[in-house]
Amino acid sequence: MESVEEKTGSISAAQLRAEKRRRKLLLNSEDRMNRIVGSTKKEPDNSGASRRPTEPRFHLDLDRTEPWSLSSASQRPSPFLSEAPGATRSHTATPERRGSPLPDFSEPRRASLEGDLAGLRQRAKGERAGSDEVSGSPRRGFQQYLSRLDDAMKLRSQLASEKPAQEGGSDIEEFDPFRVFRLVGSILLAVFVRVFVCKYLSIFAPFLTLELAYMGLSKYFPKVEKKTKTTVLTAALLLSGIPAEVINRSMDTYRRMGDVFSDLCAYFFTFIISHEILLLFGSETP
Amino acid sequence: MAAGCAWFLVLGSVFLCNLMKILLPTISTFLSKMVQKDAEQESEMRTEIQQMKKEQSSISMMDEFARYARLERKINKTTDKLKTHVQSRTAQQAKMKWVVNIVFYILQAALMVSLIWKYYSDPVTVVPSKWIAPVERLVAFPTGVAGGVGITCWLVVCNKVITLGLSTIS
């Protein structure tokens, strides 16, 4: 019986030693990380400020009052990721998230990436909170770097997932019903204008009216979710700190302008062709 | 008559350029097939390897090891040779594709420049200037003829329309 107790005692002592060793190793890894990051963090005080590397640390973040931390670029919400898990915003509620130009990001990959990166960010944030008094700017730089890294990782995976699809159907424009309707309407209007209207009015006046009508009609057509292509421009804008929402809106405007330009080209082309055909058959002279 | 058909000439040129752009991969593949003389040799090697493999499968490794090993070595040798052939053919194909692309883009640029040169001061077609007001100057650029449709404007319009049309078809 005693031998059994001794045995359990020895096991628990061994476990204790193992736990001690594990903590020591963790502390060492923390030191190594600090060295890599280039932080000149002092040894933490023993009066309650000491932290273990395994503790959750974002609660310290909430107590932060330093002014630089509010205006820090690292506080910029990542265009692809919401803030750390402890933050108030959720994934779906984040406007940047909803307006992300990468809407069809593959879910499992995103989850795993977010897991990795959020963990890293959380750790860094906790560390920052602890060492703000000592060294602000290296931490801020690190945070900024992490935020950029998040974006870069997202873009990389997005580009990787998009690549096969783009290879399959490169340079082929998507034709949703509204687009076809617009083009057909422009062509018909051009013929009509050439036959009846152009003698009295500039040809661009009916076209502008038609475009206004299209703007009003667009809401009656089913909304087609267009796959936004992640271009080098998008990537560059994202990495230079412009929020995804702004980029997405700009891309949307750009697409609308492209649609109007396509309509105008179809309209003008049809007008000129009809004019030439009418001239050819000699029905009328300009 | 020639001046009257300027719009059609430009339209035809743009259409041909776009069509050629779509057909470029086919053209480069066809040309590389024409250039390569040893395609038959490659198919012969493939047949030979298949035959040898068939023969090897019919031999018992235990009973006729020497023959089996000799055949194995022969297969390996031919396979290596075939690999080298295929590699060189692929490299040649890539080179051909690159050359065809470069030649096409040079020809396209030359054609466009010559068209712009030719119709720099003459409009491709003329309509009454009040029809295209208030952008008649923009449409007429660089001719400066009131009511004229300039070559640049017409090139842009034709290119856009043909791209749209071809993408619809394809």
Side-chain angles (χ1 to χ4, degrees):
Chain A
M1 190 68 182
E2 277 179 10
S3 67
V4 172
E5 276 177 13
E6 258 178 35
K7 203 177 177 183
T8 51
S10 70
I11 287 169
S12 65
Q15 277 176 342
L16 214 69
R17 275 202 302 278
E19 179 62 24
K20 225 176 194 175
R21 221 172 19 246
R22 195 178 67 83
R23 284 185 184 172
K24 200 176 170 186
L25 276 171
L26 280 169
L27 278 172
N28 280 342
S29 73
E30 174 103 352
D31 288 343
R32 275 201 298 276
M33 186 66 184
N34 286 338
R35 266 180 226 151
I36 291 163
V37 169
S39 154
T40 53
K41 195 177 80 175
K42 286 177 191 167
E43 281 300 311
D45 296 331
N46 291 330
S47 57
S50 64
R51 294 172 288 107
R52 271 186 208 161
T54 47
E55 285 175 3
R57 291 167 196 162
F58 4 68
H59 66 279
L60 291 171
D61 218 4
L62 299 171
D63 300 328
R64 232 174 339 114
T65 50
E66 282 81 7
W68 65 264
S69 62
L70 293 171
S71 59
S72 161
S74 62
Q75 288 301 305
R76 177 185 67 81
S78 166
F80 299 115
L81 288 174
S82 62
E83 281 301 307
T88 50
R89 282 194 288 183
S90 69
H91 283 295
T92 47
T94 313
E96 276 87 358
R97 185 86 193 150
R98 274 185 277 116
S100 166
L102 317 172
D104 53 341
F105 194 73
S106 61
E107 207 57 43
R109 188 181 284 173
R110 186 176 67 201
S112 68
L113 261 172
E114 278 182 5
D116 295 347
L117 293 171
L120 192 57
R121 201 192 300 147
Q122 173 189 332
R123 184 186 167 86
K125 203 175 259 184
E127 282 176 7
R128 182 176 65 183
S131 62
D132 273 350
E133 314 88 46
V134 182
S135 59
S137 62
R139 284 272 165 247
R140 187 168 49 177
F142 180 55
Q143 273 295 98
Q144 203 168 358
Y145 169 74
L146 276 180
S147 174
R148 299 282 189 276
L149 187 71
D150 287 351
D151 300 347
M153 293 292 280
K154 290 280 163 195
L155 274 171
R156 205 182 92 177
S157 46
Q158 166 69 12
L159 285 171
S161 62
E162 264 189 8
K163 214 170 182 179
Q166 282 179 356
E167 276 169 3
S170 60
D171 286 349
I172 294 172
E173 294 188 44
E174 288 169 22
F175 282 98
D176 53 283
F178 186 54
R179 183 110 194 260
V180 176
F181 174 72
R182 286 175 74 123
L183 286 172
V184 171
S186 303
I187 290 166
L188 291 177
L189 181 77
V191 175
F192 179 77
V193 166
R194 175 61 194 88
V195 176
F196 300 110
V197 184
C198 66
K199 296 180 193 81
Y200 317 105
L201 200 65
S202 165
I203 62 165
F204 297 109
F207 176 74
L208 287 174
T209 317
L210 184 75
E211 286 303 312
L212 284 173
Y214 284 153
M215 279 177 197
L217 283 172
S218 63
K219 57 175 170 261
Y220 298 110
F221 280 83
K223 186 90 179 167
V224 179
E225 280 297 318
K226 283 188 179 171
K227 193 181 168 188
T228 315
K229 280 179 191 170
T230 310
T231 56
V232 180
L233 175 70
T234 322
L237 289 172
L238 273 173
L239 290 175
S240 61
I242 296 166
E245 175 75 7
V246 176
I247 297 170
N248 200 40
R249 230 179 287 149
S250 314
M251 287 294 172
D252 197 43
T253 313
Y254 182 68
R255 202 169 45 230
R256 275 167 202 259
M257 282 168 66
D259 285 351
V260 172
F261 181 70
S262 301
D263 290 349
L264 179 63
C265 286
Y267 176 78
F268 191 72
F269 181 82
T270 317
F271 180 83
I272 294 292
I273 295 288
S274 340
H275 175 69
E276 289 297 328
I277 288 170
L278 286 175
L279 278 184
L280 195 70
F281 289 111
S283 67
E284 57 180 307
T285 50
Chain B
M1 186 64 193
C5 287
W7 65 273
F8 187 72
L9 181 70
V10 176
L11 177 63
S13 309
V14 174
F15 178 73
L16 277 179
C17 283
N18 278 282
L19 198 68
M20 286 287 279
K21 201 186 274 182
I22 289 172
L23 294 174
L24 268 185
T26 320
I27 292 168
S28 57
T29 312
F30 177 73
L31 281 177
S32 53
K33 268 182 191 170
M34 290 274 285
V35 169
Q36 277 164 355
K37 305 284 182 194
D38 51 357
E40 282 178 21
Q41 196 185 346
E42 200 180 298
S43 63
E44 274 173 21
M45 276 157 77
R46 280 181 202 277
T47 326
E48 199 181 334
I49 288 168
Q50 274 177 354
Q51 277 175 354
M52 281 192 290
K53 276 188 177 168
K54 208 180 273 178
E55 196 183 334
Q56 195 186 31
S57 63
S58 65
I59 298 169
S60 165
M61 193 182 173
M62 305 260 194
D63 301 338
E64 293 174 282
F65 179 73
R67 200 179 154 206
Y68 188 90
R70 213 181 304 136
L71 213 57
E72 180 76 41
R73 279 201 296 277
K74 211 172 170 185
I75 288 170
N76 286 345
K77 199 179 165 187
T78 323
T79 312
D80 285 346
K81 214 172 163 184
L82 183 68
K83 266 184 194 169
T84 323
H85 257 276
V86 169
Q87 272 178 358
S88 68
R89 185 169 56 87
T90 316
Q92 205 175 358
Q93 261 182 359
K95 203 173 162 184
M96 181 59 77
K97 200 175 171 184
W98 187 77
V99 167
V100 166
N101 274 331
I102 293 288
V103 167
F104 168 73
Y105 284 114
I106 287 172
L107 284 177
Q108 191 186 20
L111 181 67
M112 292 301 146
V113 167
S114 61
L115 279 175
I116 292 170
W117 190 275
K118 187 171 164 53
Y119 295 106
Y120 190 80
S121 51
D122 302 323
V124 287
T125 185
V126 182
V127 291
S129 64
K130 64 169 187 173
W131 287 10
I132 47 174
V135 286
E136 65 265 36
R137 279 178 181 275
L138 188 72
V139 173
F141 181 82
T143 60
V145 176
V149 178
I151 178 75
T152 45
C153 172
W154 188 240
L155 273 177
V156 170
V157 167
C158 288
N159 204 30
K160 188 72 193 172
V161 170
I162 287 166
T163 310
L164 278 172
L166 287 178
S167 62
T168 316
I169 292 164
S170 62

